[in-house]
Structures are given as structure tokens and as C-alpha cells.
């Protein structure tokens, strides 16, 4: 989502006549897009800003965008007085006005209003990935997970109209894209604000029906809004990709309650059973937080047993990091850093073993791969299956970038498959 926000902000600048330069040193304007999901990411910003310490009173404009901008607000000007603009993501639609102020010599220009029901629409978006186009369908978040800073930094949930989304998809096809990825913090909470009143699964079907679209991805889904209709849509529409990213966060119902995730372990597993019962094989990936306040060894073990039961295709695991403005920040029974690190290592090792043995099952299978890279030294092409699995493969063909190829799997590691081009 952050990468795509940057693409949209770059589009706003391009439309105003700015152009990209080779390095920050030669730029007249440097904007940092920032993340505050965990403390480490947020700290990075001030280290990077220090590189521009000498810019006070000079012509170079330094600005801070994104979640750290929203969270720290005007305090950024105190810590780094050479910064001239601070703007959170809920104010990006005001960027043209903020830029006008900056261009007129303004200092301490801010966009920090969170109270909005509007989304960020741009005429121009600079797409960095030529094969997969990102596309926001819903911004903000109305959940209140006790560890999470997002509702405080990205504001309330607001959906774009289905007409605006479908229009953008048609433009993307006209621009040569065949794969789109719909984005939102809780993408499947989508509610069309227009008279068409599409829900998420209806929108998925409508996007997949746009002529020229071959693959539709979406991320991130919230288990509470994950319906059988989504599984039915994937099952009956081949262009809808067979990959679901469904963050579980913990395998313990008590911890889930403390996290205010609004579902139990059993309810999460019920959604997994819907996906597994479908005709089409889909991959499932998840996010997990270890070391949430009060998490016992037994509760951590419940998370491990969930991994064993579900056999995820990929897991993004994080050590709990206390965040400002969240209710978990002041919870008792913080878990010591070394215990968090141990749990993370145990979990990652267990998951690695699961992925090694699961991926073996694909030996001799055939997949359609959209080619997005080349490893010259290994003589391999690289791409993704509909289920988002990475496949590295050999081929006698000359240039396959951007093409769909049939590949037969000949080898499997924990994070990727190896194969041969067969057609
Ligand atoms: N500490 C650790 N991980 C977090 N995440 C969100 N907030 C925190 C936090 N305070 C993780 C969740 C989420 C992913 C994007 O980041 O797993 O799904
Ligand atoms: Fe954060 Fe929870 Fe919203 Fe996801 S659903 S963005 S974890 S508050």
C-alpha cells in the first residue's frame, strides 16, 4: 500500500511538471513516504532525515509523508527543522494545494486532518511495476485491533465507487496491463458508496470481467469480512487469482480477544475450510505477531499448532512492537525481547519445514506463469503462478518478460519452485 501511495504521489508531481532525477542529491524536492507499523520502521525516518540536515534555508524542499507524518505531526518540525512539509495519507487529496504553498515559499506546511470521508483520486499514477498494476479500492480502517496504529494514521474506512475502480482498470488494460492487484488495509470490507452498491465479491467479478484482464489479486483480507461468496467467485472465475492473504495474528482465542481481532481460532479455521473445500487449489498466506503482552508458552504453542494444521504457503511473522495511541501499549505482562526473538525463530523454522514439504507436492505439476524477471547468471526466467508462487525456469525462448508461459515443475525449495518451459 505504501509503495502504491508513492506511485500516486509521484503521479501528482509529474502532472504538475516535476520530473524524477537520478539521486536525492540532485533533487529540488525530496519526499519521504514513511511507515509506523512497528517501532523500527518509524525510527528509520529520523535517521534518513538527518542526511538532509544542512538543507535549512536552502532551496531543496524536504517533506515527510505517510504514517509517521500523521503520527508525529508538527513534532517533526521540532526534531528536524529543515523539513518543510508534513502530510499524512488521509490528506493526499490536498497535495496540489500543499504544493502550491510550498512553491510559494511556504514552510511548515501541513496536511494532518484525519476526519475525512474522501479517497485520494489522481489523474496520473506513475507505475513502477510494468507487469502488475496496484489499485486502491478502500482506504483507512474501521477495526480497532489493540496493537495497531493504522486506524490512527490512515483514518476511517472509505471505499471508492465501483465506477471509478472499473474505469481505472479499463485504463490499465489500455496501458498494457493484464494483472491488477486491488489494495486495502481490509480490502474485503469494501462497500460501494454509489447506487450500484457492489459488495466485495461482486466487485471482484466485475473487475475480472473487464476485457483484457487475465489476473486479479487482492490484499489484505480481514477474516471477519471473509465470506463464502469470495471463495465461490474465485472458484468460478479463472481470472480471479487463487491466493488469499488472510492474517490470523495468533492461534490462541484468548490472545485474539486481547488483540480485538473479532474472531476466534475456530472461526478463522472455518474460513480456511471454505477455501480448502473449493474445486480450485488456492494458496493461503498469513501474518502473525509473536510476544503480544501476556502471551504464555502454551498460547504460543497454539499458534504453532495452527501453522501445522493450516500449512500456510507463506507467513509474515513479527515480534510485537508497542505503538503510540494503541490500547495494547500499556497492557501488563510485556514479553521480554529475548523471548520474543526465540518465539519468532521457532515459528520461522517450523514454517520453513512446512513450506519445504508442501512445495515438494508440486513436483511434475504444470503452472501458468506470468514472467516478471530474468536471472542472467543462472540462465533462468522468473515469474508467478496465479497462486502467487514464485517459479524460476529455463526456456529456449529469447524474451519472455511480460508473457504467460506453461511451466513444468522440476524442483522445489521453501520459497520458490524450479521448472522448465513447456509451451
Ligand atoms: N507489532 C508487531 N506487528 C504488528 N503488525 C501490526 N501492528 C503491529 C505491532 N504493533 C503486523 C500485523 C499486520 C502486519 C501488517 O503487521 O501482523 O497484519
Ligand atoms: Fe490494523 Fe486491525 Fe485495521 Fe488491520 S484490521 S489495519 S491490524 S486495525
Amino acid at each position: 500500500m505504501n509503495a502504491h501511495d508513492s506511485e500516486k504521489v509521484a503521479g501528482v508531481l509529474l502532472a504538475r511538471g516535476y520530473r524524477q532525477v537520478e539521486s536525492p542529491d540532485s533533487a529540488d524536492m525530496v519526499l519521504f513516504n514513511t511507515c509506523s507499523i512497528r517501532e523500527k520502521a518509524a525510527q528509520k525516518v529520523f535517521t534518513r532525515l538527518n542526511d538532509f540536515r544542512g538543507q535549512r534555508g536552502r532551496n531543496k524542499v524536504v517533506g515527510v509523508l505517510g504514517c509517521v507524518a500523521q503520527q508525529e505531526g508538527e513534532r517533526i518540525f521540532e526534531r528536524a527543522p529543515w523539513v518543510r512539509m508534513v502530510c499524512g495519507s488521509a490528506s493526499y487529496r490536498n497535495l496540489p494545494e500543499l504544493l502550491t504553498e510550498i512553491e510559494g515559499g511556504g514552510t511548515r506546511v501541513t496536511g494532518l486532518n484525519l476526519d475525512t470521508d474522501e479517497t485520494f483520486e489522481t489523474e496520473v499514477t506513475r507505475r513502477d511495476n510494468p507487469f502488475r498494476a496496484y489499485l486502491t479500492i478502500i482506504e483507512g480502517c474501521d477495526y480497532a485491533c489493540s496493537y495497531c496504529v493504522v486506524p490512527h494514521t490512515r483514518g476511517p474506512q472509505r471505499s471508492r465507487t465501483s465506477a471509478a475502480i472499473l474505469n481505472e482498470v479499463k485504463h490499465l488494460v489500455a496501458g498494457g496491463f493484464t494483472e491488477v492487484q486491488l489494495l486495502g488495509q481490509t480490502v474485503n470490507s469494501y462497500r460501494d458508496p454509489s447506487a450500484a452498491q457492489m459488495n466485495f465479491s461482486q466487485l471482484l467479478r466485475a473487475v475480472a470481467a473487464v476485457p483484457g484482464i487475465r489476473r486479479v489479486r487482492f490484499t489484505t483480507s480481514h477474516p471477519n469480512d471473509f465470506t463464502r461468496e469470495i471463495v465461490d467467485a474465485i472458484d468460478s472465475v479463472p481470472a480471479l487469482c487463487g491466493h488469499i492473504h488472510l492474517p490470523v495474528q495468533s492461534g490462541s482465542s484468548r490472545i485474539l480477544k486481547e488483540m480485538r481481532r473479532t474472531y476466534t481460532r475456530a472461526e478463522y479455521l472455518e474460513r480456511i475450510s471454505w477455501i480448502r473445500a473449493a474445486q480450485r487449489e488456492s494458496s493461503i498466506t498469513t501474518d502473525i505477531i509473536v510476544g503480544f503482552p501476556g502471551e504464555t508458552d502454551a498460547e504460543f504453542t497454539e499458534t504453532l499448532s495452527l501453522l501445522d494444521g493450516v500449512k500456510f504457503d507463506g507467513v509474515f511473522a513479527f515480534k510485537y512492537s508497542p505503538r503510540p495511541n494503541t490500547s495494547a501499549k500499556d497492557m501488563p505482562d510485556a514479553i521480554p525481547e529475548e523471548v520474543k526473538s526465540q518465539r519468532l525463530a521457532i515459528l520461522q523454522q517450523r514454517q520453513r519445514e512446512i513450506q519445504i514439504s508442501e512445495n515438494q507436492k508440486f513436483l511434475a505439476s504444470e503452472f501458468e506463469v506470468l514472467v516478471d524477471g530474468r536471472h542472467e547468471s543462472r540462465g533462468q526466467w522468473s515469474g508467478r503462478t496465479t497462486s502467487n508462487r514464485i517459479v524460476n525456469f529455463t526456456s529456449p525462448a529469447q524474451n519472455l518478460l511480460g508473457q504467460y508461459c506453461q511451466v513444468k515443475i522440476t524442483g522445489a525449495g521453501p520459497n520458490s519452485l524450479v521448472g522448465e518451459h513447456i509451451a
Side-chain angles (χ1 to χ4, degrees):
M1 285 215 61
N2 274 341
H4 183 49
D5 283 348
S6 295
E7 292 181 333
K8 287 191 277 186
V9 169
V12 171
L13 292 169
L14 289 171
R16 281 179 87 81
Y18 288 76
R19 64 187 173 79
Q20 189 171 354
V21 290
E22 287 296 314
S23 74
D25 290 339
S26 54
D28 295 324
M29 176 179 277
V30 179
L31 302 179
F32 285 96
N33 190 7
T34 63
C35 172
S36 68
I37 194 88
R38 285 167 293 275
E39 197 184 351
K40 233 192 220 162
Q43 275 169 352
K44 260 193 217 163
V45 180
F46 289 99
T47 318
R48 298 283 291 277
L49 280 175
N50 266 335
D51 295 344
F52 293 90
R53 180 176 271 284
Q55 297 306 320
R56 197 173 186 182
R58 300 254 178 92
N59 282 335
K60 196 192 285 282
V61 174
V62 179
V64 181
L65 310 177
C67 289
V68 177
Q70 189 64 48
Q71 184 185 293
E72 297 299 317
E74 308 209 349
R75 282 195 295 264
I76 293 180
F77 297 131
E78 309 303 324
R79 277 182 77 174
W82 53 96
V83 170
R84 281 176 51 189
M85 180 166 77
V86 171
C87 177
S89 63
S91 300
Y92 288 165
R93 59 178 296 110
N94 303 327
L95 267 178
E97 291 82 47
L98 302 183
L99 289 167
T100 303
E101 272 188 66
I102 289 281
E103 288 154 4
T107 53
R108 303 202 160 195
V109 173
T110 55
L112 294 169
N113 193 1
L114 265 191
D115 184 19
T116 179
D117 55 7
E118 301 194 280
T119 52
F120 177 30
E121 306 287 334
T122 52
E123 286 291 314
V124 183
T125 297
R126 188 200 63 197
R127 310 262 169 197
D128 294 327
N129 181 331
F131 311 112
R132 180 184 288 187
Y134 297 106
L135 162 73
T136 309
I137 66 163
I138 176 170
E139 295 177 8
C141 178
D142 277 353
Y143 284 93
C145 302
S146 60
Y147 53 81
C148 183
V149 78
V150 167
H152 308 272
T153 57
R154 286 189 175 267
Q157 173 183 307
R158 52 225 186 260
S159 297
R160 293 174 69 199
T161 63
S162 52
I165 294 164
L166 292 169
N167 203 17
E168 190 170 349
V169 174
K170 285 177 197 146
H171 274 104
L172 290 167
V173 172
F177 286 100
T178 58
E179 176 174 314
V180 294
Q181 178 156 353
L182 311 182
L183 298 176
Q185 301 291 338
T186 56
V187 74
N188 57 327
S189 313
Y190 177 81
R191 281 253 151 250
D192 186 358
S194 72
Q197 292 194 346
M198 285 193 196
N199 66 23
F200 181 63
S201 62
Q202 290 164 333
L203 180 76
L204 281 180
R205 287 175 186 265
V207 171
V210 172
I213 283 295
R214 290 184 64 169
R215 285 184 170 183
V216 182
R217 303 186 179 283
F218 54 95
T219 197
T220 292
S221 295
H222 193 293
N224 192 50
D225 295 315
F226 193 82
T227 59
R228 276 178 189 271
E229 286 78 55
I230 299 172
V231 180
D232 292 344
I234 294 174
D235 228 0
S236 53
V237 183
L240 296 177
C241 288
H243 170 216
I244 294 150
H245 184 62
L246 199 63
V248 63
Q249 312 298 0
S250 167
S252 148
S253 290
R254 190 193 76 82
I255 293 290
L256 287 172
K257 194 159 184 218
E258 293 289 307
M259 288 177 163
R260 296 212 219 124
R261 285 294 288 178
T262 74
Y263 54 84
T264 60
R265 174 188 174 106
E267 284 162 343
Y268 182 86
L269 289 175
E270 186 185 21
R271 274 125 190 100
I272 298 295
S273 72
W274 297 342
I275 301 168
R276 297 290 190 221
Q279 302 279 314
R280 255 176 92 184
E281 189 267 348
S282 284
S283 66
I284 308 175
T285 54
T286 201
D287 292 348
I288 284 174
I289 298 175
V290 298
F292 187 80
E295 183 187 65
T296 63
D297 280 334
E299 285 162 344
F300 171 64
T301 306
E302 285 187 78
T303 298
L304 295 178
S305 83
L306 186 105
L307 295 190
D308 290 340
V310 177
K311 298 192 166 56
F312 292 105
D313 292 87
V315 170
F316 300 92
F318 311 99
K319 292 190 270 184
Y320 168 72
S321 164
R323 307 307 297 127
N325 305 313
T326 61
S327 58
K329 183 173 129 291
D330 301 312
M331 281 183 182
D333 303 320
I335 305 298
E337 207 46 41
E338 57 276 19
V339 176
K340 286 188 207 170
S341 299
Q342 265 167 10
R343 288 183 185 170
L344 184 69
I346 292 169
L347 185 141
Q348 286 174 332
Q349 179 55 28
R350 178 78 68 97
Q351 180 58 27
R352 193 182 149 81
E353 285 157 17
I354 292 170
Q355 286 175 210
I356 288 173
S357 79
E358 285 302 295
N359 282 348
Q360 291 294 325
K361 296 185 181 158
F362 297 114
L363 287 175
S365 315
E366 288 175 20
F367 287 108
E368 185 185 61
V369 173
L370 170 55
V371 182
D372 59 12
R374 167 88 184 156
H375 304 291
E376 212 50 68
S377 58
R378 287 190 259 148
Q380 283 177 328
W381 298 94
S382 179
R384 302 246 177 188
T385 65
T386 173
S387 48
N388 212 34
R389 296 189 174 93
I390 297 173
V391 180
N392 298 310
F393 67 98
T394 49
S395 169
Q398 284 304 315
N399 189 3
L400 293 176
L401 281 181
Q403 310 222 4
Y404 289 84
C405 297
Q406 278 300 118
V407 176
K408 185 169 183 169
I409 302 306
T410 55
N415 299 310
S416 62
L417 304 171
V418 179
E420 288 163 2
H421 191 183
I422 52 170

